[in-house]
Amino acid sequence: MATINFYLDKPDKKGFAPIHLRINCNGSQVKVSTGQKVEPKNFDKSKQKATGLTVESHEINHYLDFLRERADELLHHSNKKTFIQNEVKRILNEHIENYKENNYVNIVKEQVSLYGKPFTFVDLFAGAGGFSEGFLQAEYNNKYFDFVLANDINENCELTHVVRYNHQLGLDAEFLKQDITEPDFLDNLLKKINGRKIDVVCGGPPCQSFSLAGKRKKFDKKDDLFFHYLEVIKVLQPKYFVMENVKGILTKEKGKIKELVLKEINSIVDIKEIPQLILFINKIRKESNSFLCDALIKRVELEKLLEKDKEIGKADFINFVEKRFKKITPKIADYKTSKTDEKINTIRHGFNLLARAKEWDKLKRDIIKEKDFCNIDSDNFVDAFTDFLTEIGSENVIIKIENSFKSLKVPSNYKKDCDDIITALKIYTTSFDESIEILKSDCNAKMKRELETILESIRLYKIEQPFVANASNYGVPQNRERVLFIGCRKDQKFISEIPSTVSEEEKVTIFEALYDLDFIGNNQEAHRYEEIDISSQYNGVAKEMSKLLKKRKIDGKPILRGGKSFAEWSRKGRLIERFKPQTKPFYVRNTEGLENGEKFFDILNNHKTSNQNETVIERLGVILKNGDYKKAQPELKKLNLATNKRNYNVLKPDEQSSTIMTIADDYIHYNSPRSLTVREMARLQSFDDSFVFQGKRSTGGNNRKTEVPQYTLVGNAVPPLLARAVASEILKNIK
């Protein structure tokens, strides 16, 4: 058993003594200089710690703890049992040099354009930063991307962003940790952007947020995130936007959701063209229903307003329609009835509810947050909450107003006036496109052609159909299908798909991605790379395994000369030259650790296996031997190793993995009965090894609702190489 301690050497002329690390083992001794100095009076020899409450002493003690941990790990917890002195020195000096290189972090205040043309981008629902990472890897004809801001609601997403982009890469990219549905979100976003024009917005609102208006059966925090995402697009009006989602969105509610998404995108208008449409409506007004035309003009004018002014505009619209109702009330009901009748009161009070939509929306958000906090779901409370939240929605209020009108005995000569009020209220809640459909009903053939010409110029974005992208077509060793909605501003070149970078035969295999990390066993953590001997590790099939390794370009395309293997690219990093790291990668446990300088500068990060018991290891071994969970079921039952777990994915070295999710225990390594490390899952997602996932490794139970640990950051991310392909295609076409 080795003993590890620190001691002080003789002080220098300034009175500072170097701190040395000393290891004693079986009569042999290894001494290594830590590179740190301290005044002897400020060092407690018995505790082997720097004394005092200064930031400097805190950082020195964290560094000494780090070295002690790495020495202990090397001598007592590695696979190798015998070391020569020089080998121990060399390995510890690697850790020390790595740490010394990163003693000072320079956060650049501005992303200086050395050459070429920068285009700005914002990453919403950013998570770990898969989109951001891919966009910073893209370059075309000296055009590249300048990272302005990322947004998410979780603290660990922010921590991972700040460490990667602000500290490690030295960029001035902002992070907005706020729920996109909050009333002041857009104001805060614009404040952080600080007047800069945004060329591209990317992000993937969670699929739960897509629902058909008026048919929501579930209210949770994700409700309506898509519509809020589009509000950001309306305000920033980028040249392109990319919205990523799961493939299931195409068939959700029999394809109606996909059509809703396209309709809403087509409803984003170029506010400079609105006067032209208003002119057209006024022309129809002379020959048509002036009240509905006025309502349409008010609805169209809402598109010009910023979010903070929209509430006043909406209230003004409701007041306009209510005036119409007040005018005809004496003609459809006598005085007594107009004051006491339940139906008239429903209409009157309905206008009150609609006019205070802002206040009701705030209440709705607060209730949804409380409902989510109290885990109200699949119980006897949920229906009451859902019913109430449905009742206060504008669509439901208008349905009640409409039913009340229908129940009234309205004289026939005033029925049209009542119908117009209902139509005007529906105009209030519909998309721009649906409002125009109402306008078309008053147009003859010639007018419809004129209107179509106006609509061509007023629609800000061109989009036909979403594009299904499989990550494996872009050099990612994973069959992960995602849907991309690519909105192209009308003054930009149209993009309908992202060309593949590799053919079916050229796809990156799991073995290419993970083979050089295969030196770790159950319940182990590695902080440096070790040599892999394929011939001894794969006795009998070494030639076949070696053949899987190919030299490639960054995008995965095989190349005969000058390329690197996927693993080599992962180690070297794929960022373009201008985003060279200012510091080596480091890990922190939390935000407080970052503030206190408790950084772990390791050569390899996030490479730790789970502590699985003997029964689990035996079960995984049986499944691995059979190559498939279902095929292994009879043998598992026979050996009393059966489990209720729904599925295990056995990785095949010569194939691509299935979609990487957020739970590592769902996967079995192709060469040993164990689950995957965060780093291995990150490799399958195409993250560089220099991208360090911060905070906790994993979490469980109800914590999964609020915490985003490393495995979740990885599993939920957009694969950077897929994002790189998207960014490259945009750079090829952007004006």
Side-chain angles (χ1 to χ4, degrees):
M1 191 75 169
T3 60
I4 303 161
N5 54 52
F6 296 97
Y7 71 95
L8 297 186
D9 207 343
K10 291 178 182 176
D12 60 17
K13 290 177 181 178
K14 293 180 179 178
F16 285 87
I19 305 173
H20 291 291
L21 169 67
R22 179 168 52 205
I23 297 170
N24 290 304
C25 184
N26 299 329
S28 296
Q29 194 175 81
V30 175
K31 295 179 182 177
V32 182
S33 171
T34 67
Q36 286 285 353
K37 292 182 178 182
V38 68
E39 289 184 272
K41 66 178 181 181
N42 294 332
F43 191 79
D44 187 323
K45 290 181 181 177
S46 61
K47 292 180 180 176
Q48 296 184 19
K49 297 268 187 184
T51 57
L53 300 174
T54 64
V55 173
E56 287 79 10
S57 63
H58 185 89
E59 288 187 357
I60 286 172
N61 288 333
H62 171 72
Y63 172 54
L64 298 182
D65 287 343
F66 164 81
L67 284 183
R68 190 191 297 276
E69 278 180 30
R70 296 300 170 264
D72 180 65
E73 181 183 279
L74 174 68
L75 298 169
H76 302 137
H77 302 288
S78 64
N79 294 326
K80 194 170 180 180
K81 299 302 176 192
T82 308
F83 294 93
I84 59 172
Q85 286 182 324
N86 284 344
E87 192 178 7
V88 173
K89 266 191 170 183
R90 178 182 61 77
I91 292 169
L92 288 176
N93 273 322
E94 277 181 17
H95 287 299
I96 289 166
E97 285 307 310
N98 200 48
Y99 216 98
K100 277 160 69 177
E101 275 182 46
N102 300 285
N103 220 16
Y104 176 71
V105 175
N106 175 31
I107 297 181
V108 178
K109 296 300 175 191
E110 185 181 356
Q111 295 173 45
V112 180
S113 172
L114 301 175
Y115 60 93
K117 169 71 176 164
F119 290 93
T120 55
F121 80 94
V122 161
D123 188 358
L124 302 176
F125 307 99
F131 260 130
S132 305
E133 198 70 10
F135 270 61
L136 295 180
Q137 292 175 9
E139 188 171 34
Y140 182 81
N141 281 353
N142 278 349
K143 293 188 287 187
Y144 66 98
F145 280 108
D146 185 357
F147 190 9
V148 175
L149 175 140
N151 148 256
D152 211 294
I153 60 172
N154 184 268
E155 188 175 333
N156 202 32
C157 295
E158 181 179 28
L159 178 63
T160 299
H161 168 100
V162 168
V163 170
R164 174 63 170 172
Y165 299 112
N166 299 145
H167 285 261
Q168 192 189 334
L169 300 188
L171 304 181
D172 62 343
E174 294 276 0
F175 193 94
L176 176 58
K177 186 172 81 72
Q178 188 179 11
D179 189 332
I180 197 171
T181 66
E182 287 179 14
D184 60 348
F185 175 84
L186 269 167
D187 290 337
N188 293 333
L189 179 77
L190 293 171
K191 204 178 288 178
K192 281 188 175 285
I193 287 170
N194 195 24
R196 296 179 72 180
K197 284 282 181 192
I198 302 302
D199 295 306
V200 179
V201 173
C202 53
C207 59
Q208 298 96 313
S209 71
F210 293 87
S211 55
L212 290 174
K215 294 192 178 179
R216 299 187 184 99
K217 292 179 182 173
K218 182 180 177 183
F219 290 88
D220 63 21
K221 285 205 294 187
K222 296 183 177 72
D223 198 33
D224 280 353
L225 294 178
F226 160 64
F227 293 99
H228 287 278
Y229 177 83
L230 283 194
E231 283 302 316
V232 175
I233 303 299
K234 288 175 187 177
V235 171
L236 298 183
Q237 300 201 346
K239 292 173 179 174
Y240 291 93
F241 69 86
V242 184
M243 192 172 73
E244 174 262 357
N245 223 277
V246 294
K247 193 181 175 185
I249 195 172
L250 297 180
T251 51
K252 193 176 180 185
E253 299 198 34
K254 297 178 179 175
K256 290 178 182 175
I257 295 296
K258 181 197 80 172
E259 293 306 318
L260 172 70
V261 171
L262 292 172
K263 189 182 282 185
E264 291 295 331
I265 291 171
N266 282 323
S267 289
I268 301 173
V269 303
D270 182 352
I271 57 175
K272 297 192 296 293
E273 302 291 342
I274 283 177
Q276 189 184 354
L277 180 60
I278 290 173
L279 205 66
F280 178 81
I281 297 171
N282 275 323
K283 192 160 69 173
I284 291 178
R285 189 178 184 277
K286 293 170 187 174
E287 308 163 22
S288 181
N289 186 321
S290 61
F291 169 70
L292 283 185
C293 285
D294 287 343
L296 277 165
I297 288 169
K298 284 187 173 294
R299 169 66 186 83
V300 168
E301 284 180 332
L302 283 176
E303 297 295 329
K304 294 194 295 187
L305 301 177
L306 290 173
E307 195 61 26
K308 59 187 176 69
D309 303 320
K310 242 173 203 168
E311 297 309 322
I312 297 168
K314 287 177 178 179
D316 179 57
F317 186 102
I318 295 301
N319 290 334
F320 164 75
V321 181
E322 188 180 18
K323 277 181 189 174
R324 181 76 169 183
F325 170 65
K326 285 178 178 176
K327 194 174 180 181
I328 67 160
T329 303
K331 295 163 185 174
I332 62 173
D334 58 52
Y335 180 79
K336 186 181 177 185
T337 305
S338 71
K339 295 297 179 189
T340 58
D341 186 79
E342 186 183 67
K343 296 179 282 294
I344 295 284
N345 281 335
T346 299
I347 297 166
R348 186 180 288 120
H349 299 160
F351 281 116
N352 294 341
L353 290 168
L354 292 171
R356 290 181 61 80
K358 182 182 178 182
E359 286 73 15
W360 286 109
D361 282 344
K362 183 182 182 304
L363 180 62
K364 184 175 161 184
R365 274 194 305 273
D366 290 343
I367 292 171
I368 289 168
K369 280 182 182 174
E370 283 302 315
K371 173 182 168 287
D372 194 72
F373 183 80
C374 298
N375 298 318
I376 305 297
D377 197 10
S378 304
D379 53 36
N380 290 330
F381 299 107
V382 72
D383 286 346
F385 277 91
T386 301
D387 289 346
F388 176 68
L389 291 166
T390 303
E391 285 292 314
I392 63 176
S394 294
E395 294 91 346
N396 210 61
V397 171
I398 291 170
I399 287 168
K400 280 192 162 46
I401 292 173
E402 184 175 10
N403 290 338
S404 296
F405 268 121
K406 284 177 181 175
S407 302
L408 284 169
K409 291 177 182 176
V410 178
S412 57
N413 52 328
Y414 289 106
K415 274 195 181 309
K416 177 76 169 65
D417 292 283
C418 294
D419 290 343
D420 285 350
I421 287 171
I422 297 301
T423 304
L425 290 177
K426 286 179 179 175
I427 287 170
Y428 169 74
T429 55
T430 58
S431 67
F432 173 79
D433 258 28
E434 288 167 319
S435 301
I436 297 302
E437 286 303 314
I438 294 167
L439 179 61
K440 282 179 184 176
S441 62
D442 281 333
C443 294
N444 58 34
K446 186 185 173 187
M447 284 176 164
K448 280 181 182 174
R449 285 194 297 272
E450 187 183 344
L451 179 58
E452 283 303 328
T453 305
I454 292 169
L455 292 177
E456 276 294 310
S457 62
I458 206 168
R459 291 191 205 286
L460 190 57
Y461 290 97
K462 294 173 284 186
I463 187 166
E464 288 172 1
Q465 290 295 322
F467 170 67
V468 179
N470 188 335
S472 65
N473 291 331
Y474 305 96
V476 181
Q478 175 191 178
N479 282 314
R480 186 187 191 95
E481 288 192 312
R482 284 297 183 267
V483 170
L484 300 176
F485 292 85
I486 304 174
C488 314
R489 207 169 70 189
K490 64 181 184 177
D491 60 336
Q492 299 295 312
K493 199 169 174 185
F494 185 62
I495 298 173
S496 59
E497 63 177 15
I498 308 300
S500 299
T501 60
V502 296
S503 66
E504 192 65 34
E505 300 74 35
E506 296 169 338
K507 289 184 176 184
V508 179
T509 63
I510 291 170
F511 184 74
E512 288 183 83
L514 303 185
Y515 84 96
D516 67 320
L517 296 175
D518 189 15
F519 52 79
I520 194 167
N522 184 57
N523 193 27
Q524 286 188 339
E525 183 170 11
H527 294 105
R528 60 188 179 85
Y529 299 97
E530 292 183 20
E531 289 297 317
I532 295 293
D533 185 349
I534 294 176
S535 57
S536 63
Q537 206 166 18
Y538 296 93
N539 191 20
V541 291
K543 278 189 178 178
E544 286 80 358
M545 302 308 278
S546 294
K547 280 179 187 174
L548 293 173
L549 300 179
K550 294 182 174 73
K551 294 293 183 183
R552 299 175 179 273
K553 295 198 285 185
I554 284 182
D555 61 9
K557 189 79 176 169
I559 189 171
L560 294 174
R561 290 183 185 177
K564 300 184 192 318
S565 69
F566 183 91
E568 285 170 338
W569 277 118
S570 299
R571 290 196 195 194
K572 179 185 182 292
R574 299 175 177 91
L575 295 169
I576 62 174
E577 193 67 22
R578 59 170 50 82
F579 296 124
K580 258 192 164 177
Q582 304 289 305
T583 172
K584 288 284 182 72
F586 66 86
Y587 165 77
V588 289
R589 291 194 174 97
N590 47 39
T591 303
E592 189 181 0
L594 179 63
E595 289 167 356
N596 292 335
E598 295 167 6
K599 303 170 187 175
F600 293 85
F601 286 102
D602 282 308
I603 298 153
L604 175 63
N605 293 276
N606 303 129
H607 199 36
K608 180 179 181 180
T609 52
S610 302
N611 184 12
Q612 295 174 310
N613 62 42
E614 287 182 18
T615 303
V616 172
I617 294 169
E618 195 179 346
R619 180 184 299 128
L620 298 184
V622 171
I623 300 167
L624 182 58
K625 183 184 71 178
N626 281 271
D628 181 81
Y629 185 38
K630 284 183 182 174
K631 287 179 185 173
Q633 298 285 13
E635 190 176 347
L636 290 172
K637 284 178 184 173
K638 188 178 173 183
L639 296 169
N640 277 335
L641 293 171
T643 172
N644 291 328
K645 191 167 172 64
R646 192 172 58 186
N647 194 30
Y648 284 102
N649 294 293
V650 181
L651 298 185
K652 304 289 188 340
D654 58 345
E655 296 178 7
Q656 291 74 46
S657 78
S658 57
T659 300
I660 290 298
M661 307 297 273
T662 59
I663 301 171
D665 294 350
D666 289 350
Y667 307 90
I668 303 175
H669 192 276
Y670 58 84
N671 193 38
S672 53
R674 64 171 178 84
S675 58
L676 300 181
T677 67
V678 170
R679 181 51 51 203
E680 286 170 325
M681 287 176 73
R683 283 273 188 98
L684 294 177
Q685 280 276 60
S686 76
F687 277 96
D688 293 342
D689 289 4
S690 61
F691 192 108
V692 183
F693 298 89
Q694 307 297 333
K696 292 164 68 173
R697 268 177 76 245
S698 60
T699 193
N702 281 331
N703 288 343
R704 284 196 180 128
K705 288 190 171 187
T706 53
E707 293 180 350
V708 183
Q710 294 168 18
Y711 278 117
T712 305
L713 283 173
V714 177
N716 285 343
V718 174
L721 278 179
L722 170 58
R724 181 185 184 276
V726 173
S728 298
E729 191 63 17
I730 290 174
L731 287 178
K732 283 177 192 175
N733 291 284
I734 198 166
K735 297 176 189 173

